[in-house]
Amino acid sequence: MPFEDRRRLMSGLDVAFMTAREPFADSALNWYKDVGYFAERLGVQLALPPEERTGLLGRFAGLKEADPESAHLSDDMFATVAVSLFGAGAVSTSAFLTLAVLALLQRPELIGYLREHPERMGRAVDELLRWNLSVGDGLPRIALADVRVGDVLVKEGELVLVLLEGANFDPAAFEHPEELDLERESPNAHLAFGAGRHFCPASALGRAHAEIALEVLVERLPGLRLAVPAENLVWRTGFIKRLPERLPVAW
């Protein structure tokens, strides 16, 4: 995507990933505005010779022309996939980085530790992924059959709200799960990227984004600190991710 379009695209995601019991005014208008944008960008790729096409939309253009199984797919369908991938990646990455920075700022010694041990950044990112309570709501699931979860019998057809972060703080899986331990040596089998058929296809890219961003941050801004007490932060409501509305900092 053109870098200069970033603000327009990100502002659309602030509406696209809101949560509400009922549809709200202009939510569909906001979504289809972004679908239209990506359909337009797909058209740009389709107009180029195959050897000059780039990025995901360039791949989509090739599929649309060369793959018989994709011939029935419209530009809007491809654009919808692009919007979903872009939105999920941008919102998840920005939310993680906000919460990771907040966690580090509340423990300034950890910033010094990461500056002195940059080789530990990969493990630190995994621990911050485990630690962050980033999902704003429980994931709704319908039981397809009677199943016992602990001492509770969930009957076929019943609704269950699954809290992924509960698993990330399971003492049976993590030693001292309440501690943010950047030196954690045991396997960090967190569920920040989901699991099974719902495992995030961009997990490697997400980790790379996180490692690069945090490496640059701790190196260039070692004196970064919260400009207000953490308890004064205002948290966003009605959004798919748990986020402070603002994160005021000084350096």
Side-chain angles (χ1 to χ4, degrees):
M1 294 298 101
F3 184 72
E4 59 271 17
D5 291 348
R6 69 193 188 284
R7 294 189 184 278
R8 173 221 175 283
L9 290 168
M10 290 299 290
S11 65
L13 297 181
D14 285 341
V15 176
F17 285 82
M18 290 174 65
T19 57
R21 293 179 59 185
E22 302 292 339
F24 50 90
D26 295 332
S27 60
L29 179 64
N30 176 79
W31 176 259
Y32 287 109
K33 168 175 61 66
D34 287 345
V35 170
Y37 170 88
F38 279 90
E40 180 181 323
R41 302 302 308 179
L42 176 61
V44 171
Q45 293 292 325
L46 283 166
L48 293 173
E51 65 274 11
E52 295 182 16
R53 294 169 180 166
T54 59
L56 177 67
L57 293 179
R59 295 288 297 276
F60 282 177
L63 284 174
K64 185 175 174 62
E65 288 184 343
D67 188 345
E69 294 185 3
S70 302
H72 68 287
L73 299 177
S74 67
D75 288 2
D76 278 359
M77 290 178 180
F78 279 111
T80 298
V81 174
V83 173
S84 301
L85 290 173
F86 171 78
V91 169
S92 297
T93 301
S94 60
F96 166 75
L97 288 173
T98 300
L99 294 174
V101 169
L102 176 58
L104 294 175
L105 293 182
Q106 292 178 284
R107 300 163 182 79
E109 72 279 3
L110 296 183
I111 296 178
Y113 170 81
L114 289 174
R115 291 192 76 213
E116 294 172 6
H117 302 281
E119 75 282 358
R120 301 288 300 184
M121 186 60 76
R123 285 185 178 270
V125 165
D126 264 325
E127 176 68 352
L128 288 163
L129 283 164
R130 181 193 71 83
W131 175 265
N132 281 339
L133 301 175
S134 65
V135 179
D137 297 309
L139 301 176
R141 296 290 184 265
I142 301 294
L144 299 180
D146 291 357
V147 59
R148 185 169 292 279
V149 182
D151 296 329
V152 178
L153 175 63
V154 180
K155 296 183 178 181
E156 179 182 355
E158 288 187 335
L159 170 68
V160 177
L161 293 178
V162 180
L163 185 64
L164 288 179
E165 283 80 1
N168 285 347
F169 282 78
D170 183 356
F174 303 98
E175 187 175 357
H176 304 299
E178 73 285 353
E179 295 179 7
L180 177 60
D181 181 6
L182 301 190
E183 295 185 301
R184 189 178 293 277
E185 295 292 347
S186 57
N188 201 333
H190 61 75
L191 296 181
F193 290 117
R197 66 186 297 180
H198 296 287
F199 189 75
C200 174
S203 59
L205 181 62
R207 280 192 173 92
H209 282 162
E211 290 182 28
I212 292 169
L214 293 178
E215 284 172 2
V216 172
L217 184 76
V218 300
E219 179 61 34
R220 296 188 184 179
L221 292 174
L224 192 68
R225 62 190 185 278
L226 281 174
V228 299
E231 58 268 22
N232 285 11
L233 295 175
V234 176
W235 292 84
R236 184 176 301 189
T237 59
F239 196 66
I240 197 171
K241 289 290 187 179
R242 176 180 173 271
L243 282 172
E245 286 287 356
R246 299 170 188 81
L247 187 62
V249 297
W251 60 91

